Amino acid sequence: MGPLKLIAPCKDYLWGGTKLRTEYRQQSAAQKLAESWMLSCHPDGLSVISGGIFDGMTLKDLIAQEGRGILGTNCGRFEQFPVLVKLIDAQDRLSIQVHPDNEYALEHEGEYGKTEMWYILENEPGAYLYYGFRKEISKEEFAGRIHNQTLTEVLNKVEVHPGDVFFIDAGTLHAIGAGIVLAEIQQNSNTTYRIYDYGRVGADGKPRALHVDKALDVTRLKRPVRPAKPQGEPVRDGDCVRTLLASCPYFTVSRIALSGETAMAADTSSFQSLLCVSGEGTLCRGKETPVPLQKGDSLFIPAGMGGYTLKGSLEFLLTTL
């Protein structure tokens, strides 16, 4: 099985913008595009294969048909497809929120929790986000500030820049601010507990639901553990520079900046997800027709596919298990 190009389901949440359509070539009839789920087997939005003999099939159905071997041996420790890769365009600010860990989410939501990471792609001048607390606070103070709407006074406000990396363990309070486009790699979960949403209403004209009691159960009331930068240093390998962005039990993500060509390989340990975030190029494999890659493209590389070559001038995020 060769590389598979994926079509992303899109979400039109009220805080979304237009850049996913105009700059990242995502297709949707919605006026606003908040999220594109670039690699997804989650029932709330399934990636669809584009082209080849599997054209029109969801990635989830392909795995069911071909077997979990195409995911690699590292996936054996997971009962379900483990990751979800997104592009996010926050034209407006998101709610202040938190995600539960696996134990709590399985008990209360029937799915796994969510640890995630953000890679900042672009931002408006002065754009910021909230990333945990400035200092440790008590649960009583946390509850009181939610009630009094003074929570932002104790949050860790961070101005962002392209290339910043934020690793968000389950239990870390967070919120993307307005004017930010980012890539998100996360556990395969869609459970979010909103804590504060600035009094906004949804499409039905009613205030959006909050989940304060559950948030009080799961939020870590301390400063974040990891700094807002890549986990590794840039390493040059011929025509490309590789940087480890984040690694955890659920995913490993690297940024690869290519100018020329580089040899890659997918062994039997893990599938690979390639998300092109700038530039263009081609993926070449033996005598097969080269696969074009452009900004906004997502490729699924099955485990055990073997060697291939990337050519061009592009930046992409490589996600593996």
Side-chain angles (χ1 to χ4, degrees):
M1 186 185 300
L4 303 172
K5 187 166 286 190
L6 302 178
I7 299 173
C10 297
K11 304 297 181 179
D12 62 347
Y13 306 137
L14 79 170
W15 43 263
T18 60
K19 290 184 177 181
L20 297 185
R21 178 185 294 108
T22 60
E23 298 185 21
Y24 294 85
R25 303 169 43 253
Q26 302 303 299
Q27 302 298 314
S28 173
Q31 183 178 2
K32 291 184 176 182
L33 295 187
E35 298 183 353
S36 293
W37 291 18
M38 309 303 293
L39 174 75
S40 173
C41 287
H42 195 282
D44 290 344
L46 297 170
S47 296
V48 175
I49 298 165
S50 174
I53 61 174
F54 303 112
D55 184 59
M57 180 180 290
T58 68
L59 180 59
K60 182 178 181 180
D61 286 345
L62 176 73
I63 295 167
Q65 174 180 294
E66 301 297 319
R68 287 173 61 89
I70 66 173
L71 301 181
T73 54
N74 290 349
C75 198
R77 65 184 187 270
F78 300 104
E79 295 179 7
Q80 303 169 356
F81 189 79
V83 296
L84 177 55
V85 177
K86 298 177 180 178
L87 287 174
I88 294 178
D89 176 14
Q91 180 173 291
D92 197 0
R93 55 192 175 181
L94 275 69
S95 62
I96 296 172
Q97 57 190 239
V98 70
H99 307 301
D101 62 16
N102 291 336
E103 182 179 3
Y104 191 95
L106 286 168
E107 179 181 352
H108 293 85
E109 312 299 339
E111 69 171 2
Y112 285 97
K114 189 194 295 189
T115 285
E116 62 190 9
M117 63 143 285
W118 294 335
Y119 177 68
I120 306 299
L121 295 171
E122 54 184 279
N123 59 269
E124 299 295 331
Y128 65 89
L129 52 77
Y130 291 121
Y131 180 46
F133 293 86
R134 290 191 288 108
K135 61 178 182 178
E136 184 172 357
I137 67 171
S138 68
K139 188 173 182 178
E140 291 72 25
E141 181 180 356
F142 183 38
R145 288 187 175 276
I146 294 172
H147 178 73
N148 296 328
Q149 300 187 18
T150 61
L151 181 60
T152 58
E153 295 178 5
V154 293
L155 300 186
N156 182 33
K157 182 179 177 180
V158 184
E159 188 170 316
V160 301
H161 308 89
D164 287 348
V165 176
F166 296 85
F167 186 84
I168 303 165
D169 291 287
T172 301
L173 180 149
H174 58 278
I176 303 172
I180 299 174
V181 179
L182 59 81
E184 176 178 286
I185 294 85
Q186 58 162 88
Q187 284 182 265
N188 184 19
S189 171
N190 200 26
T191 295
T192 296
Y193 297 151
R194 291 193 200 102
I195 300 167
Y196 178 62
D197 196 37
Y198 309 99
R200 291 183 294 197
V201 298
D204 58 3
K206 299 178 180 179
R208 297 211 297 167
L210 301 179
H211 316 92
V212 173
D213 289 342
K214 291 180 177 179
L216 288 170
D217 287 341
V218 305
T219 301
R220 184 182 297 116
L221 303 175
K222 300 179 180 180
R223 289 182 55 83
V225 175
R226 297 202 195 190
K229 65 178 184 178
Q231 190 172 333
E233 297 296 325
V235 177
R236 176 165 288 281
D237 180 13
D239 291 338
C240 75
V241 177
R242 297 170 178 254
T243 306
L244 174 65
L245 300 184
S247 184
C248 69
Y250 308 109
F251 50 75
T252 295
V253 184
S254 297
R255 170 189 180 267
I256 300 181
L258 175 65
S259 181
E261 66 177 77
T262 189
M264 304 276 291
D267 62 24
T268 57
S269 66
S270 176
F271 69 88
Q272 298 177 354
S273 166
L274 272 59
L275 173 59
C276 184
V277 295
S278 70
E280 59 181 16
T282 56
L283 184 154
C284 303
R285 179 172 177 254
K287 297 182 180 180
E288 297 177 0
T289 302
V291 178
L293 267 175
Q294 300 179 61
K295 182 178 179 178
D297 282 342
S298 174
L299 292 183
F300 174 84
I301 309 295
M305 191 186 82
Y308 60 95
T309 301
L310 290 172
K311 301 179 180 181
S313 178
L314 68 159
E315 175 189 355
F316 63 94
L317 302 184
L318 171 66
T319 300
T320 61
L321 297 185

